[in-house]
Amino acid sequence: MGIGDKFQVDEIISKFKVGDDDFDYKPFGSGHINDTFLVFDNQHGEADEATQRKYLLQRINHEVFRDVDGLMRNMNLVTTRLQSELGKSEEMDFTTVRIIPAHDDKLYYLDSWGNYWRMQTFIPNSTTYDRVTSEKQAFEAGYAFGKFQLLLENIDVNSLKETIPDFHNMEYRFKNFEAALQKDAVSRKASVEKEILFALARQEEMENLYEQVKNVKVPIRITHNDTKFNNVLLDKHTHKAICVIDLDTVMPGVIWYDFGDSIRTIVNTADEDEVDLAKIEVDINFFEAFTQGYLQETALLLTELEVNQLAFSSRYMTFIMGLRFLTDYLSGDVYYKTKHEHQNLQRARAQFKLVSQMERKSNEMEEIVLKTYHHFTDHSVSSE
């Protein structure tokens, strides 16, 4: 009986503490890692958001997340802290999901087929978008991830597990790249010489940034590590950010990972696998808007080193994705799902072109970061 079968999903729903109401479900979202279902009660019309009980049921992909117990403990610790911090404030426009435990009080349910399931609350009157189309959206994304960081500031980083080891470790990614080059499993190396040289020319500066992480020269914080725009829920009516979702990769990290990956996905004027590289530019207005939203919440937390490398972190995270796509292409497309033979190469080329565009605008990006940072920190000092 496969995932999504009526009897199986109905049975899984009954394993969680949601009561004995008559629930129905339907597939939900566009994620590529977990299988997600929207669960809703049949006592109220689906359009009645105010009264209908809704939850998200997910099958956790334990091939990607091999320590499901550690992942769920991380998620529980983070969401509990978010609830606590938000409860201390009169600020009612930001929220968090809550985990619904199974009847045995575990944070997940393991079915007889070996699948891991979790249930969480559904945030009503919310929506997501895959791409930023306005400066207001870019600002709200920055605000959301900055608020997320601020609210988790006092968690002991040692209390969270690393759910995906070496996720943003540049040295590790280059070792994989070099191994793929040496093996040349599907004889593609000769056709991507330009991309190989692009990567190798930037190896030293990219590994230098990671060296600061490895030697703990920059604070280790609780980071989200997958800060795409569609992981921010916006209020359907006010269009303000109200929640950060998809907490599977929340673990110890550095601020650069979250800031850089957000910028990678927000400022690109084209798709991640755009064939026409001339379409790829850096939308500097989106960069500035995101930076304003982010530093509005985090400026007083950050060290001088963190601030000075924020702009470069955008290149770092864009480059590491390009390197991973190129490595997978050389390896025969064994990790990322592809729709055609050369999609991973297109992705790598697009990411590397975005890196080049960021290099051209690096001075402008650095100036924006410093100007915005000083605006919030100087204002804080002068208002005391």
Side-chain angles (χ1 to χ4, degrees):
M1 197 172 295
I3 301 298
D5 181 273
K6 174 72 176 177
F7 176 78
Q8 185 189 9
V9 174
D10 280 347
E11 181 182 354
I12 298 300
I13 294 170
S14 71
K15 302 299 183 182
F16 292 90
K17 293 183 178 182
V18 292
D20 298 324
D21 292 345
D22 178 23
F23 287 99
D24 205 346
Y25 69 92
K26 62 181 180 181
F28 184 82
S30 57
H32 299 301
I33 303 297
N34 301 321
D35 296 305
T36 305
F37 300 92
L38 177 63
V39 175
F40 49 92
D41 74 70
N42 282 320
Q43 294 181 344
H44 306 88
E46 189 176 350
D48 188 357
E49 294 242 0
T51 58
Q52 188 175 46
R53 297 172 60 204
K54 291 183 179 180
Y55 304 94
L56 286 182
L57 175 69
Q58 289 184 307
R59 184 187 70 88
I60 304 169
N61 188 332
H62 57 275
E63 295 299 323
V64 173
F65 302 104
R66 297 185 179 275
D67 182 3
V68 173
D69 188 74
L71 181 156
M72 290 306 300
R73 288 179 183 276
N74 281 5
M75 185 175 177
N76 187 56
L77 180 63
V78 165
T79 55
T80 299
R81 175 56 65 92
L82 289 172
Q83 291 171 54
S84 174
E85 293 298 314
L86 290 167
K88 298 175 185 177
S89 171
E90 296 180 357
E91 194 173 349
M92 300 300 291
D93 60 346
F94 204 79
T95 188
T96 183
V97 299
R98 291 186 298 106
I99 298 172
I100 306 298
H103 287 295
D104 60 3
D105 290 322
K106 285 187 176 180
L107 301 173
Y108 57 88
Y109 173 71
L110 178 62
D111 70 21
S112 56
W113 291 277
N115 298 305
Y116 292 84
W117 298 83
R118 67 165 169 230
M119 183 86 79
Q120 63 190 50
T121 52
F122 178 82
I123 308 298
N125 297 310
S126 64
T127 189
T128 62
Y129 299 95
D130 287 333
R131 292 190 64 177
V132 168
T133 57
S134 70
E135 291 174 36
K136 174 176 172 51
Q137 288 182 338
F139 176 88
E140 291 299 327
Y143 163 78
F145 288 119
K147 174 68 72 177
F148 182 82
Q149 182 65 61
L150 178 65
L151 292 171
L152 297 177
E153 176 61 17
N154 294 320
I155 290 186
D156 178 7
V157 295
N158 295 315
S159 62
L160 268 69
K161 285 199 165 188
E162 191 177 15
T163 53
I164 303 181
D166 297 315
F167 198 31
H168 300 314
N169 179 338
M170 191 65 76
E171 293 178 353
Y172 172 76
R173 296 302 177 186
F174 262 109
K175 285 180 182 177
N176 289 345
F177 173 63
E178 290 159 2
L181 278 178
Q182 186 173 6
K183 189 173 183 180
D184 195 16
V186 287
S187 302
R188 289 175 169 175
K189 178 179 175 180
S191 66
V192 292
E193 183 176 352
K194 182 179 178 181
E195 289 73 27
I196 293 170
L197 292 175
F198 183 96
L200 293 176
R202 288 156 180 81
Q203 181 172 1
E204 183 177 358
E205 67 172 350
M206 295 299 170
E207 289 189 344
N208 281 344
L209 185 90
Y210 183 73
E211 190 76 17
Q212 298 174 72
V213 179
K214 187 172 69 171
N215 293 331
V216 199
K217 293 183 178 180
V218 62
I220 304 300
R221 304 181 185 274
I222 304 301
T223 47
H224 185 281
N225 296 294
D226 189 17
T227 49
K228 300 187 298 289
F229 183 50
N230 61 11
N231 281 332
V232 174
L233 293 185
L234 302 179
D235 185 282
K236 284 184 178 178
H237 307 296
T238 66
H239 308 294
K240 290 183 176 295
I242 57 174
C243 187
V244 170
I245 59 171
D246 198 359
L247 307 180
D248 290 330
T249 54
V250 174
M251 57 183 167
V254 297
I255 213 85
W256 299 329
Y257 298 160
D258 280 4
F259 185 91
D261 203 35
S262 282
I263 296 303
R264 178 184 75 85
T265 59
I266 284 172
V267 305
N268 192 351
T269 57
D271 293 330
E272 188 177 64
D273 59 351
E274 177 59 57
V275 178
D276 184 359
L277 300 184
K279 293 181 179 180
I280 298 175
E281 298 285 347
V282 172
D283 192 315
I284 201 69
N285 294 322
F286 287 0
F287 177 83
E288 184 166 14
F290 179 91
T291 301
Q292 288 173 345
Y294 190 80
L295 289 179
Q296 170 185 292
E297 301 301 312
T298 62
L300 298 179
L301 302 178
L302 304 185
T303 66
E304 183 177 349
L305 177 57
E306 286 175 307
V307 174
N308 288 340
Q309 296 283 16
L310 278 182
F312 182 76
S313 74
S314 307
R315 301 214 306 268
Y316 181 95
M317 293 303 296
T318 305
F319 178 86
I320 204 170
M321 283 307 305
L323 187 67
R324 290 175 65 187
F325 287 139
L326 182 58
T327 299
D328 201 32
Y329 182 72
L330 289 166
S331 302
D333 309 311
V334 295
Y335 185 83
Y336 293 107
K337 293 179 181 178
T338 56
K339 296 178 181 178
H340 56 81
E341 182 182 4
H342 300 298
Q343 188 173 17
N344 270 327
L345 178 57
Q346 288 178 5
R347 289 165 171 162
R349 285 173 172 167
Q351 295 297 291
F352 285 166
K353 176 61 184 296
L354 187 58
V355 169
S356 295
Q357 297 299 82
M358 288 177 175
E359 289 172 345
R360 291 178 56 205
K361 295 194 174 184
S362 61
N363 289 340
E364 188 175 1
M365 293 168 73
E366 288 169 6
E367 288 172 3
I368 288 171
V369 168
L370 291 176
K371 176 188 72 175
T372 307
Y373 172 73
H374 288 303
H375 168 77
F376 289 116
T377 53
D378 293 347
H379 175 75
S380 173
V381 172
S382 63
S383 64
E384 290 179 350

